């Protein structure tokens, strides 16, 4: 025998209120007295009632959901930021719809899905460099926040680390440390943050007339270990290495030691980016830029709140957060008296 679905009418009868009061009790914007809401919630709990949100979505055009698009989650930075974002969104009275995609092709497919769910806003941590993709995001006609990306446009805001200045700062510090053979270990070409760090690093070395040797990775440990090992076997001997992120920084440190027999920081200084927990492990002690994900998340949530309160304005803002350099053993020359 099929069990009958509990409806708002059942809850209204048990709570002794009208059906419209039940609807208002489960709305984040409707006016209702605390006493009435409490009666409705107690009745709903007793009946195991789950409100049907479809009528509200049809009526208001808003779902109460915020879509979050992520790529790979192997970098612990994004896991931590996602946790903080999700908590902040729930505290604001919304639900999170998480979508994982790996490239712009699957992103375009995901946008159709998100539009079907009528998410009220979208936060994406995926590297986006295509004008077509930016246009597709803007065409959703909802607030879009690009987390740690340089992309902006109508209705699209950006919150990111100051990648360029961080790269320039590393170059200046390496010059103080006496580096004469600087190397840059890049992330994927599509990664705008990696490109900005590279640009700042190269500009910082420009006045010294020293060329920077560039190695290519893909943001992950294995790619860094392979790229640095291959360079070492080809006779390259860096004395300063800036890595696009910490996962590659750890891979580079292991390659320098295992493949090149080099000591850090005696033979080479290494700097990463993100300040993930692994960077502080005893075996690495990697100096790294802390992107301050709490500040990135706070700025994203602030834009989200203002965008939802004034949807017709279609905010398009850029917030740049200064990164903090955390010095560890991999650059301990800086700690000498």
């Amino acid at each position: 025998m099929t069990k009958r679905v509990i409806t708002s009418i059942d809850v209204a009868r048990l709570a002794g209120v009208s059906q419209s009061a039940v609807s208002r009790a489960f709305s984040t914007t409707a006016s209702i007295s605390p006493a009435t809401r409490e009666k409705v919630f107690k009745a709903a709990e007793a009946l195991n009632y789950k409100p049907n949100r479809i009528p509200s979505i049809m009526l208001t055009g808003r779902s109460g959901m915020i879509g979050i698009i992520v790529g790979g989650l192997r970098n612990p930075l994004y896991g931590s930021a996602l946790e903080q974002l999700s908590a902040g969104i729930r505290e604001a009275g919304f639900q999170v719809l998480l979508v994982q995609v790996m490239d712009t092709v699957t992103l375009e497919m995901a946008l159709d899905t998100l539009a079907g769910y009528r998410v009220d806003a979208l936060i994406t941590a995926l590297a986006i460099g295509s004008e077509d993709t930016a246009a597709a995001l803007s065409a959703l006609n909802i607030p879009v926040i690009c987390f740690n990306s340089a992309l902006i446009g109508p209705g699209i805001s950006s919150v990111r680390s100051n990648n360029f200045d961080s790269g320039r700062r590393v170059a200046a510090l390496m010059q103080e440390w006496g580096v004469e053979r600087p190397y840059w270990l890049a992330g994927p070409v599509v990664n705008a943050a990696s490109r900005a760090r590279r640009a700042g690093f190269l500009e910082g070395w420009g006045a010294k007339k020293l060329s920077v040797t560039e190695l290519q990775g893909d943001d992950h440990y294995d790619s860094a270990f392979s790229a640095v090992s291959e360079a070492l076997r080809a006779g390259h001997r860096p004395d300063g290495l800036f890595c696009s992120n910490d996962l590659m920084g750890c891979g580079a440190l292991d390659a320098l030691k295992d493949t090149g027999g080099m000591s850090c920081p005696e033979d080479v200084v290494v700097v990463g980016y993100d300040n993930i927990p692994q960077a502080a492990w005893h075996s690495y002690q990697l100096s790294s830029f802390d992107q301050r994900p709490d500040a990135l998340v706070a700025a994203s949530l602030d834009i989200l709140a203002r965008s939802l309160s004034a949807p017709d304005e279609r905010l398009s803002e850029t917030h740049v957060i200064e990164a903090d350099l955390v010095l560890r053993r991999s650059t301990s020359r800086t700690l000498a008296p």
Side-chain angles (χ1 to χ4, degrees), residues 12-298:
R13 286 173 179 166
L14 182 60
V17 299
S18 66
Q19 187 179 4
S20 64
V22 175
S23 298
R24 293 199 307 275
F26 286 97
S27 169
T28 58
T29 58
S31 174
I32 187 172
S33 71
T36 301
R37 175 175 272 122
E38 184 178 0
K39 286 199 296 184
V40 170
F41 283 177
K42 285 183 177 180
E45 183 179 4
L47 295 172
N48 195 27
Y49 167 72
K50 306 299 181 187
N52 183 351
R53 299 193 181 276
I54 294 177
S56 175
I57 295 173
M58 297 285 289
L59 182 64
T60 65
R62 300 185 65 167
S63 64
M65 292 190 295
I66 306 298
I68 299 181
I69 294 179
V70 296
L73 288 173
R74 283 189 282 182
N75 188 335
L77 170 74
Y78 290 105
S80 173
L82 176 60
E83 185 176 20
Q84 294 181 53
L85 267 175
S86 299
I89 289 170
R90 287 194 298 270
E91 286 176 8
F94 294 89
Q95 296 298 315
V96 173
L97 179 62
L98 181 66
V99 178
Q100 184 177 15
V101 300
M102 300 313 297
D103 50 40
T104 53
V105 175
T106 49
L107 171 61
E108 291 171 3
M109 296 170 59
L111 293 183
D112 291 337
T113 300
L114 290 163
Y117 280 108
R118 298 194 183 182
V119 294
D120 296 335
L122 181 63
I123 299 175
T124 174
L126 189 71
I128 298 172
S130 163
E131 291 184 4
D132 290 341
T133 303
L137 287 168
S138 184
L140 291 174
N141 203 31
I142 59 174
V144 177
I145 301 168
C146 292
F147 185 82
N148 208 12
S149 170
L151 179 70
I152 59 171
I156 303 175
S157 295
S158 169
V159 178
R160 57 186 170 86
S161 173
N162 197 340
N163 298 294
F164 182 87
D165 279 358
S166 296
R168 190 164 51 185
R169 183 179 175 190
V170 173
L173 286 172
M174 285 190 176
Q175 290 162 31
E176 292 180 13
W177 303 336
V179 170
E180 296 181 346
R181 298 182 303 281
Y183 277 57
W184 159 248
L185 179 55
V189 176
V190 297
N191 189 327
S194 179
R195 295 199 307 271
R197 292 164 197 168
R198 170 188 179 274
F201 190 59
L202 295 184
E203 181 176 293
W205 283 102
K208 296 291 290 185
K209 303 287 192 277
L210 279 178
S211 61
V212 176
T213 302
E214 301 188 48
L215 306 176
Q216 185 64 53
D218 71 357
D219 277 346
H220 301 124
Y221 174 96
D222 291 339
S223 72
F225 187 91
S226 297
V228 174
S229 292
E230 183 178 342
L232 291 167
R233 285 191 287 265
H236 293 275
R237 304 288 289 185
D239 63 351
L241 176 61
F242 181 31
C243 303
S244 184
N245 73 11
D246 286 350
L247 288 177
M248 290 200 296
C250 292
L253 284 170
D254 284 341
L256 289 165
K257 176 183 176 182
D258 297 348
T259 306
M262 300 179 71
S263 297
C264 179
E266 291 78 11
D267 300 322
V268 54
V269 291
V270 181
V271 178
Y273 215 101
D274 292 340
N275 196 34
I276 63 175
Q278 189 173 336
W281 289 1
H282 178 75
S283 56
Y284 293 117
Q285 283 293 298
L286 174 66
S287 293
S288 176
F289 281 94
D290 187 338
Q291 294 205 53
R292 299 168 55 207
D294 54 339
L296 292 170
V297 168

